[in-house]
Amino acid sequence: MSTNNVESRVIKAPATDVWDVLRKQDFKFWTLVKSAQLSSSPSEVGGTRVTTFTDGTVQKHRLLEFSEINRSLTYEIIESDPAIHSLSAQHTLKVFPVSADDTSYVQWSSDFSSEGSLEAVMDSKYKKLEALADLAKALEK
């Protein structure tokens, strides 16, 4: 069984614009997110974010890595109500410029521990695809 998942999308916006949206970590672009509250600066490693989803799920995330240079961030879910199938995973968002046409390539990956179930991996896949589609809608003009 695969214990990682990688989804991606080309977005018709410059990488700087895409990164400006993602680096805030408020996920306002994603229709499944009702709100997100950060405990510190969005770039402070170790800082936490509480995300409330439209279905009532509340998750607490901790920022593990943040890079302005590489336009990337990595976080983990440290609490979830209701509980999810696998808390032990690292999720990374990266933005790459596509120089040929000034668009962006966005990659969202998750690496689950050995306890990661197929259900958790598939749920992650479909939520990423939806979030990336919402990001594209928010940025493409």
Side-chain angles (χ1 to χ4, degrees), residues 64 74-77 87-92 109-113:
L64 301 174
T74 300
Y75 65 92
E76 65 182 346
I77 301 169
L87 277 177
S88 187
Q90 292 183 350
H91 309 275
T92 301
S109 61
S110 297
D111 292 308
F112 296 90
S113 70

Side-chain angles (χ1 to χ4, degrees), residues 5-8 30 75 91-92 107-112 121 123-134:
N5 169 255
V6 180
E7 300 304 329
S8 61
W30 193 2
Y75 65 92
H91 309 275
T92 301
Q107 178 181 314
W108 194 343
S109 61
S110 297
D111 292 308
F112 296 90
V121 174
D123 183 58
S124 176
K125 171 187 177 73
Y126 293 114
K127 285 182 178 166
K128 283 185 191 75
L129 289 172
E130 182 177 350
L132 291 171
D134 287 347

Side-chain angles (χ1 to χ4, degrees), residues 19 27 33 76:
W19 180 240
F27 292 86
V33 172
E76 65 182 346

Side-chain angles (χ1 to χ4, degrees), residues 32-137:
L32 290 184
V33 172
K34 182 177 179 180
S35 67
Q37 296 180 327
L38 279 76
S39 66
S40 60
S41 156
S43 62
E44 184 180 323
V45 173
T48 59
R49 171 182 83 242
V50 175
T51 305
T52 303
F53 293 86
T54 55
D55 69 355
T57 299
V58 178
Q59 293 181 342
K60 187 173 187 179
H61 305 96
R62 178 176 32 235
L63 186 65
L64 301 174
E65 183 177 84
F66 185 92
S67 175
E68 289 285 358
I69 294 170
N70 296 316
R71 293 186 189 102
S72 67
L73 61 92
T74 300
Y75 65 92
E76 65 182 346
I77 301 169
I78 56 175
E79 294 175 17
S80 182
D81 182 23
I84 56 175
H85 298 288
S86 177
L87 277 177
S88 187
Q90 292 183 350
H91 309 275
T92 301
L93 280 156
K94 294 181 180 179
V95 181
F96 302 92
V98 178
S99 59
D101 58 5
D102 202 26
T103 59
S104 303
Y105 175 81
V106 180
Q107 178 181 314
W108 194 343
S109 61
S110 297
D111 292 308
F112 296 90
S113 70
S114 59
E115 84 211 28
S117 68
L118 179 59
E119 184 178 347
V121 174
M122 295 308 293
D123 183 58
S124 176
K125 171 187 177 73
Y126 293 114
K127 285 182 178 166
K128 283 185 191 75
L129 289 172
E130 182 177 350
L132 291 171
D134 287 347
L135 178 63
K137 284 180 204 169

